[in-house]
Amino acid sequence: MQSVSAYIQSRYVRRELRTLTPADRDTFFSACEIIYKTDCGEGKKSYGAGFECIDTLVQTHNELAGAKYCDHMHDGYGFLTNHVALSNWFETVLQSVNPSIALPYWDYSKEGQLVNKTGEIRLWRQSQVFDNDQFGPSAINGMVTEGLFAFTKTQYNARNYTKTANAYNYMRAPWNQNKNPYVTRYN
């Protein structure tokens, strides 16, 4: 038997979320579900040192976005560089769960063009990315009530983990006074 030794480089190609095959989309969202629902210690035991619980990723975004003097995630040049860094970190966590995954992106300019052309904001919420098998639709109160992420809780007692929390002690920016205990999205 002959053996060969060689250096192999693996490249991941990021694709737009809606261009994923149904199997790739299921693989991606299944890994996301594991990250959202697995305890940090258990995740590191099961998936290795590359695993990180979602609360740590959310905390990082929240502390940068909710900093007292500057929203480092969304103001100026920070938007692109900080979101790319956080996306790369999330992709590493996804790959600890399933090495075949590349983090897809959402080209929301497609919905933006449609809303701009028609003036109908409801068309934004009718995007397939809000289907039950993806990020799920939000109800009138902003909560995701269907699909994989239905009733996903927001970190409560946030001040035990971070300095950046709202008045209700949820891991949200200090100016976000949403007291709903679940992840929410609004128009």
Side-chain angles (χ1 to χ4, degrees), residues 14 73 78-90 103:
R14 290 193 176 153
M73 290 300 293
F79 183 85
L80 183 60
T81 54
N82 289 328
H83 281 90
V84 166
L86 201 57
S87 294
N88 284 339
W89 186 13
F90 186 59
L103 179 65

Side-chain angles (χ1 to χ4, degrees), residues 6-17:
Y7 176 78
I8 298 174
Q9 184 173 3
S10 175
R11 295 179 189 252
Y12 295 90
V13 177
R14 290 193 176 153
R15 294 179 286 158
E16 208 276 337
L17 188 60

